[in-house]
Amino acid sequence: VRAWSRKWRVLATGAVLVDAPGVHDDNSARDAVVKRKIKEADAVWIVSNIVRAVNDKTAKDLLGEHFRRQLLMDGQFGALAFVATQSDVLERSEACRSLKLPRDTTLRACAEARNEYTAGRLRKDFHAGLRELAEQAGEADAAALTARFELPVFAVSSVDYQKLAGLRPGDGPPRVWRSQEESGIPRLARHVRRQALVCRREISLRRC
């Protein structure tokens, strides 16, 4: 599927977003497509529903040993990011219980706490995977390898963002977030533009 619009300012820098199949596809043809796209890409995002992302096993599954090793070999570990979607979908009582928050915590505060927990957990698992790779490769200083890479995590709500931007006038007010910035979408858009400009600069330097 190819989509194009002059209104998508986030792509004005020349960025191209490619929606590839999942990393654990049993279909060999689709799996080959993923491997090819990763090699061709300047950056790789793992996108998951935030409820699934905070599951103890999910980050390890999505960043499985084979996938981590391929990213490292392709030089993509530094360009990896995690996008946790549907940050506006949660029940206050359940969030208070699972995150051990006071029962009178507001829905927005619960969502903020879940975003923070998600980012911390994903980064912890990311660095644990890096240390594991370093140890398997016989690296003497695994800490040096983990210090080279950071995992940007973006918790986003496209529905609340669209409501706040006036794009869904008949769907009522936003459920959780009070501003477009809080929805996480503008921060992700800035990341896209920043990554695209870095890539363009590197290409220009290689041509010189």
Side-chain angles (χ1 to χ4, degrees):
V1 176
R2 292 179 178 270
W4 179 87
S5 173
R6 293 183 182 275
K7 296 180 180 180
W8 296 344
R9 290 176 295 172
V10 69
L11 303 181
T13 53
V16 177
L17 303 182
V18 178
D19 184 8
V23 297
H24 291 312
D25 203 310
D26 292 331
N27 184 294
S28 58
R30 285 195 294 262
D31 189 56
V33 169
V34 175
K35 291 177 180 177
R36 187 180 76 251
K37 291 298 183 183
I38 289 174
K39 288 184 178 180
E40 295 172 352
D42 296 305
V44 177
W45 293 359
I46 296 176
V47 182
S48 174
N49 179 295
I50 194 169
V51 174
R52 184 167 173 248
V54 298
N55 182 283
D56 287 348
K57 294 177 60 180
T58 298
K60 292 186 177 69
D61 290 342
L62 290 172
L63 290 172
E65 180 182 346
H66 177 72
F67 186 55
R68 293 196 307 264
R69 192 177 302 279
Q70 182 179 343
L71 288 174
L72 198 59
M73 289 173 60
D74 294 341
Q76 292 285 33
F77 240 115
L80 187 66
F82 199 108
V83 181
T85 63
Q86 298 185 22
S87 67
D88 61 310
V89 179
L90 76 164
E91 296 298 330
R92 191 175 64 83
S93 59
E94 183 179 339
C96 288
R97 183 171 59 255
S98 60
L99 295 170
K100 297 181 173 55
L101 301 171
R103 286 188 294 179
D104 59 349
T105 303
T106 65
L107 184 64
R108 178 171 166 272
C110 284
E112 289 176 335
R114 186 177 65 173
N115 288 355
E116 184 178 349
Y117 171 80
T118 300
R121 184 63 195 233
L122 290 171
R123 291 187 181 116
K124 180 179 178 180
D125 288 343
F126 173 75
H127 284 120
L130 269 179
R131 284 193 296 271
E132 183 182 337
L133 278 181
E135 291 166 0
Q136 290 175 356
E139 293 279 349
D141 190 0
L145 179 62
T146 58
R148 286 170 50 199
F149 300 109
E150 190 54 69
L151 178 68
V153 178
F154 302 90
V156 301
S157 166
S158 61
V159 173
D160 270 9
Y161 172 80
Q162 290 171 36
K163 289 179 177 179
L164 289 159
L167 301 176
R168 302 176 72 141
D171 291 345
R175 187 165 188 269
V176 173
W177 307 115
R178 300 181 302 190
S179 68
Q180 294 179 34
E181 188 66 33
E182 287 183 356
S183 75
I185 296 295
R187 177 171 169 254
L188 180 59
R190 289 193 296 271
H191 179 73
V192 174
R193 289 192 289 266
R194 187 164 53 246
Q195 287 283 93
L197 290 172
V198 168
C199 291
R200 288 175 62 179
R201 190 179 305 118
E202 290 177 351
I203 292 172
S204 298
L205 290 174
R206 285 198 296 267
R207 289 175 177 172
C208 294

